């Protein structure tokens, strides 16, 4: 890049003979040695720094899978297993099927508590039998809808309470899987349904009696319906009356005894003094409560 230089007055020459008395000759010269340079700047380094990575929140399905994996640690080869029903037990069966098909579990047989559990077990290749052929069960793993501090349960919102109770009563050990949302101070405390299985004949008669039994708890009794508005029918061809409580059940053992005495009541969803251990998964990990 060229630069422009102005000569000092001493370098300016005047000639009247050439330009006349009133003229002045001005000569401008540009030295060839002058170079203009752009100013130098220190290099600038820019780094993009991402915010600290955060672990994604633990989903409900993740919690169920954590509990299921822990529960399957109770399973060993040669066992007769009661196979429970429900969303958490879906993961229990998946894990058992994985271990059986890999050869890590051998000589097991499962007793399903519902038709859909039997279908899943067959799809996983788990050998099945019936309670009639195996009246003595080594271990049952099943989910729960509620669990109180004494490990008493509300079960059956999946509609399989009768078969679940029969299988679990025949088991040496009954391990329950649950996430922390199922913990209650008293049974019925979640405000969600506590099911009672009743015969179809005169179902409304039993619905009225059940609601009257729990009037102090502000109970509302409803017949369970399918999406099409027709009554839900259990695997045993019965109806379900769902009980919704405003306050927890005051005396669960007494209530269980009285419900069982109603003509037309087949089974209820109070599972009292049956659980051997309850595996609870939460955001802080997995814990085991036992008697």
């Amino acid at each position: 890049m060229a630069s422009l230089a102005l000569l000092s007055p001493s370098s300016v020459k005047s000639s009247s003979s050439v330009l006349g008395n009133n003229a002045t000759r001005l000569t401008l010269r540009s030295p060839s040695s002058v170079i203009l340079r752009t100013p130098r700047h220190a290099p600038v380094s820019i780094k993009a720094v991402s915010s600290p990575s955060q672990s994604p929140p633990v989903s409900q399905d993740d919690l169920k899978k954590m509990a299921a994996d822990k529960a399957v640690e109770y399973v060993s080869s040669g066992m007769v297993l009661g196979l429970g029903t429900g969303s958490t037990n879906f993961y229990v069966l998946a894990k058992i099927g994985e271990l059986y098909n890999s050869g890590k579990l051998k000589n097991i047989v499962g007793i399903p508590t519902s038709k859909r559990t039997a279908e899943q077990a067959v799809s996983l290749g788990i050998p099945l039998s019936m309670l009639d052929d195996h009246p003595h069960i080594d271990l049952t793993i099943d989910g729960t809808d509620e669990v109180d501090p004494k490990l008493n349960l509300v079960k059956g919102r999946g509609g399989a309470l009768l078969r679940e109770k029969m299988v679990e009563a025949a088991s040496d050990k009954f391990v329950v899987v649950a996430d922390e949302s199922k913990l209650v101070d008293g049974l019925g405390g979640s405000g969600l349904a506590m099911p009672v299985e009743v015969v179809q004949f005169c179902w409304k008669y039993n619905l009225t009696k059940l609601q009257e039994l729990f009037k102090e708890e502000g109970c509302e009794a409803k017949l369970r319906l399918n999406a099409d508005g027709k009554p839900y029918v259990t695997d045993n061809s019965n109806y379900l009356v769902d009980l919704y409580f405003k306050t927890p059940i005051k005396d669960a053992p007494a209530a269980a005894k009285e419900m069982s005495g109603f003509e037309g009541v087949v089974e209820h969803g109070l599972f009292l003094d049956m659980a051997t251990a309850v595996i609870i998964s939460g955001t802080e990990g997995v814990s085991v409560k036992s008697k």
Side-chain angles (χ1 to χ4, degrees), residues 7-289:
L7 297 179
S8 64
S10 64
S11 67
V12 177
K13 298 180 180 179
S14 176
S15 174
S16 58
S17 61
V18 178
L19 299 174
N21 294 331
N22 297 326
T24 301
R25 186 176 66 185
L26 180 65
T27 302
L28 298 177
R29 295 178 182 173
S30 176
S32 59
S33 61
V34 179
I35 300 174
L36 288 182
R37 295 182 175 90
T38 56
R40 296 190 172 215
H41 298 282
V44 178
S45 176
I46 300 176
K47 295 182 179 180
V49 180
S50 61
S51 59
S53 60
Q54 295 181 350
S55 299
V58 180
S59 69
Q60 203 75 5
D61 283 343
D62 290 333
L63 295 178
K64 291 175 180 180
K65 189 175 185 300
M66 288 165 59
D69 288 348
K70 183 65 176 177
V72 175
E73 293 179 9
Y74 286 79
V75 179
S76 58
S77 295
M79 280 187 166
V80 178
L81 299 171
L83 306 178
T85 298
S87 58
T88 304
N89 228 66
F90 173 88
Y91 295 105
V92 173
L93 264 67
K95 187 66 175 180
I96 291 174
E98 176 188 329
L99 294 173
Y100 179 75
N101 290 308
S102 68
K104 294 179 181 179
L105 276 180
K106 300 178 180 179
N107 301 320
I108 62 170
V109 61
I111 311 298
T113 56
S114 67
K115 292 179 181 178
R116 63 180 176 276
T117 294
E119 291 170 357
Q120 184 190 358
V122 168
S123 72
L124 295 169
I126 299 173
L128 296 181
S129 188
M130 299 290 293
L131 190 58
D132 284 342
D133 297 325
H134 293 85
H136 178 264
I137 298 173
D138 298 300
L139 168 69
T140 292
I141 302 174
D142 202 357
T144 187
D145 300 312
E146 293 181 5
V147 54
D148 74 5
K150 296 181 179 180
L151 306 190
N152 292 315
L153 315 170
V154 166
K155 285 178 50 58
R157 287 182 194 145
L161 64 157
L162 174 58
R163 296 191 186 186
E164 286 175 339
K165 190 171 285 189
M166 292 175 69
V167 169
E168 285 145 20
S171 303
D172 288 343
K173 293 182 179 180
F174 172 29
V175 174
V176 179
V177 286
D179 62 80
E180 58 190 358
S181 68
K182 305 300 174 63
L183 300 176
V184 296
D185 293 329
L187 298 182
S190 69
L192 301 175
M194 194 279 281
V196 181
E197 188 162 347
V198 301
V199 297
Q200 294 189 31
F201 177 73
C202 294
W203 61 265
K204 192 177 294 185
Y205 166 78
N206 274 303
L207 182 149
T208 302
K209 290 183 68 176
L210 289 165
Q211 184 162 291
E212 179 65 20
L213 174 63
F214 295 105
K215 62 181 179 181
E216 291 186 19
E217 288 88 350
C219 175
E220 182 179 8
K222 296 180 179 181
L223 180 69
R224 186 178 297 190
L225 303 176
N226 291 316
D228 59 6
K230 295 181 180 179
Y232 177 93
V233 179
T234 69
D235 288 347
N236 315 297
S237 301
N238 297 314
Y239 287 170
L240 288 178
V241 173
D242 288 327
L243 306 180
Y244 298 86
F245 303 96
K246 291 184 178 179
T247 60
I249 299 171
K250 297 182 184 301
D251 188 341
K257 184 177 181 179
E258 194 155 356
M259 283 189 290
S260 296
F262 289 170
E263 299 82 2
V265 167
V266 179
E267 192 50 82
H268 55 76
L270 294 178
F271 285 55
L272 309 179
D273 198 30
M274 295 183 69
T276 304
V278 178
I279 297 171
I280 301 166
S281 60
T283 54
E284 300 300 320
V286 177
S287 62
V288 179
K289 295 184 177 182

